[in-house]
Amino acid sequence: MWATGNDHPPYFYLSYARTASGPPEDGLDKFYRDLCQEIMARTRHPAGIPAGFMDVDIPIGTERWEQLAACLTFVPLYSRRYFRSEACGREWAAFDLRRRRHLGERQAPPEVIVPAFWTPVPDYELPELGRAVQFKHPALGDLYQERGVRGLMTINRYRDHYRSAVEALAIQIIHVAEQVRLPAAEPRDLFAVKSAFSRDGSRRFQVTIVAHAAGSLTRDRDPRFYGPTAAEWNPFHPSSTRSLADHAADVVRELGFDPEIGTVADHHTELFSNDPPSCPGVVPGPRRIDDLS
């Protein structure tokens, strides 16, 4: 555990979504160690002092996380589970408060959040803050955007892409950390911090995509318009690479609402309930429901 007065604070705090059983996903610890090793090779950080921090050794329920108050940057591992995690949302909010207090209210807060894509996340599932701080660099490559770190490290032929992605992330972390030198703060009780991902239930807007998935297509349908799930249906191909769900989410946000995207299976209970709807919604899909048969 690092004290806030340490002369050699960790370069980054790795924030990730735990699995239901608690331990990190396979490969996550390797990614963390590879990232630390790359930073050690490119800095004068003392040997024997970890270049980063990953919370595998802290029990769930710990109230004060001194590491979050000392690390120079915050590295959220984007995944579909991440933005639904209350713990991750509290970590993000606490670190965001720390960086905002560093320069005061009249100045823009320093950019010390360096996201990494663990697995791909559809645009429509990214909250506003997640879309605002995405880190993209040519060295990361298209495969990184398509598969994420986990996808690159689990397939042998993508190992060079994985190493390039780790290198690019390490360089960005070092650049941001050494440029800003965010001072340490007093540790906060994370249970007293509201999650940065908390949603206002009164602003929910449900968008239910009615479409085929690639695995259920009939022979007369062009597979280029479809994805692994119905929510990835793109009727605008090839003029747009974005799904209908992505476009719908943009419109919903412009109207001041919080989009909740799903398929008929996702929203089945609410769609077919006799109770009044819990929020406004729309069901974009084919001209006739029997087009799905």
Side-chain angles (χ1 to χ4, degrees), residues 64-102:
R64 296 171 65 87
W65 288 7
E66 296 180 5
Q67 296 83 355
L68 190 60
C71 292
L72 298 175
T73 67
F74 183 77
V75 179
L77 272 184
Y78 284 17
S79 67
R80 300 186 75 171
R81 184 184 295 112
Y82 185 83
F83 293 104
R84 298 181 181 274
S85 167
E86 186 75 13
C88 294
R90 288 195 182 110
E91 290 175 353
W92 186 307
F95 193 88
D96 185 61
L97 181 62
R98 176 184 160 201
R99 74 184 183 107
R100 290 179 184 279
R101 287 181 172 176
H102 172 49

Side-chain angles (χ1 to χ4, degrees), residues 258-270:
D258 186 8
E260 187 175 288
I261 310 293
T263 65
V264 173
D266 296 328
H267 299 160
H268 183 274
T269 300
E270 186 149 5

